[in-house]
Amino acid sequence: MAIAQAKASSAAWCLSFSVDAGVLPLFETIFEVLDGAMVTGAPDSVGLMTLELYLSEPPSDERIEELLKTASELAEVVPPAFNLAQLPDVDWVAESQKALPPIEAGRFYVYGSHVTERPPFGSIPLLVEANVAFGTGRHESTYGCLLALTQLAQRHRFKNALDMGCGSGILAMAMAHLWRCPILAVDNDADSVRVAGENARENRVAEWIEPHCGDGYKSHLVARRGPFDLIAANILAEPLCAMATDLKRNLAPGGYVILAGLLTRQARQVVARHRGQGLRLVKRLHFGEWTTLVLQG
């Protein structure tokens, strides 16, 4: 979640505040309603991360306080102090991108167009820019999914895959590179679906990926295209638990599942819900406070 949301070239205001890294995804989700460009840096010495939101119009202090209160209550933390400042006419997201190095995750080399060096020999390059969809490969949950996909590719082949909650489409693109199989990339956000399609074309894997805007497993296209022998869902712990029954219903016998977007302290709950559906845990991958799970039906 290092960068999300773009439309930044016209940004004239910057809203910023710092929260614990473990609750940052909740704040990012709540503040998406302001429709700005989000940029986050690395945690400081006490685990705080600063979220900067670049906006074309300034929200009222009352609106900011309302959103902070909502996010803080969900995260069970004290609302952070915030700063809202007017900016000169500069493309701040473009400027911040220049300081972001590429990421190597398993076989994948994730980079932005500002990176000029050649990808390492034998790596799979994925060009993913900052924009309106989550998923640049920098957050531990996305990193864990890419690593899990790399490990699965060493022993397994898949013929029909699903990227549930696809965001930027980074996991769908990774699966397309590894297996050259049909992949359905589903998200309930139309902007994310549009970006996933653009990224698939930019990375020359569009022939394998079908982006689709729909309500998760309730989508008619999911039912028509399933069952899937590989499902990746990088969302959050609560919706993962809520979707466990539907996931099982759409998973082919013996199929594999990658679940991410959950804190390590939430992993036991997510595993228990999926074990209740007859899935078995194959592997846990831990990165900081985040865990990626690999299960099999």
Side-chain angles (χ1 to χ4, degrees):
M1 297 180 184
I3 299 182
Q5 309 341 66
K7 296 182 185 173
S9 59
S10 61
W13 297 82
C14 178
L15 168 64
S16 63
F17 54 86
S18 298
V19 295
D20 185 88
V23 301
L24 180 65
L26 283 172
F27 281 82
E28 288 181 321
T29 300
I30 296 298
F31 275 83
E32 283 177 356
V33 298
L34 295 184
D35 197 27
M38 290 186 189
V39 178
T40 61
D44 63 17
S45 59
V46 295
L48 293 178
M49 295 182 70
T50 298
L51 186 150
E52 296 177 338
L53 184 62
Y54 294 92
L55 303 157
S56 57
E57 297 293 335
S60 67
D61 286 358
E62 291 76 14
R63 178 59 168 155
I64 297 171
E65 290 169 355
E66 175 191 0
L67 294 174
L68 287 174
K69 180 181 178 182
T70 299
S72 299
E73 287 178 350
L74 290 172
E76 299 181 344
V77 298
V78 176
F82 69 90
N83 181 62
L84 180 64
Q86 191 168 12
L87 301 172
D89 187 15
V90 176
D91 188 340
W92 290 100
V93 166
E95 290 299 310
S96 67
Q97 280 184 318
K98 295 176 182 178
L100 294 175
I103 296 295
E104 294 184 51
R107 290 184 59 191
F108 299 99
Y109 179 82
V110 186
Y111 69 103
S113 59
H114 63 286
V115 175
T116 57
E117 61 262 31
R118 295 176 63 87
F121 179 78
S123 66
I124 300 174
L126 294 176
L127 173 61
V128 182
E129 301 286 11
N131 51 47
V132 296
F134 165 67
T136 63
R138 297 182 178 278
H139 190 266
E140 289 90 339
S141 60
T142 310
Y143 181 93
C145 289
L146 293 174
L147 190 57
L149 289 170
T150 298
Q151 294 175 355
L152 281 176
Q154 295 171 0
R155 296 188 177 185
H156 303 281
R157 292 197 60 80
F158 299 102
K159 297 180 180 179
N160 187 30
L162 171 65
D163 181 1
M164 177 56 70
C166 65
S168 70
I170 186 171
L171 300 185
M173 293 189 295
M175 291 188 283
H177 277 289
L178 289 172
W179 293 291
R180 301 292 179 181
C181 69
I183 299 148
L184 181 61
V186 178
D187 205 290
N188 61 5
D189 178 72
D191 282 332
S192 292
V193 172
R194 173 182 57 79
V195 170
E198 293 172 354
N199 283 338
R201 291 188 291 273
E202 183 70 27
N203 286 270
R204 300 181 181 179
V205 290
E207 64 180 296
W208 307 105
I209 298 172
E210 182 175 1
H212 174 67
C213 187
D215 186 13
Y217 291 101
K218 296 177 182 178
S219 167
H220 69 281
L221 193 55
V222 173
R224 176 150 45 99
R225 288 279 301 273
F228 303 91
D229 54 6
L230 175 62
I231 297 177
N234 181 11
I235 313 177
L236 290 171
E238 185 175 346
L240 287 176
C241 289
M243 299 164 79
T245 301
D246 290 331
L247 181 150
K248 172 62 176 178
R249 187 179 296 119
N250 288 276
L251 182 67
Y256 280 82
V257 175
I258 298 174
L259 303 178
L262 54 138
L263 295 167
T264 298
R265 60 180 170 80
Q266 300 170 320
R268 181 178 298 180
Q269 176 190 9
V270 175
V271 170
R273 288 297 295 269
H274 288 81
R275 278 180 172 162
Q277 297 299 319
L279 279 71
R280 68 179 183 89
L281 179 65
V282 175
K283 182 175 293 187
R284 299 173 190 248
L285 301 172
H286 300 292
F287 303 97
E289 297 183 351
W290 300 85
T291 290
T292 297
L293 302 172
V294 181
L295 304 101
Q296 186 179 20

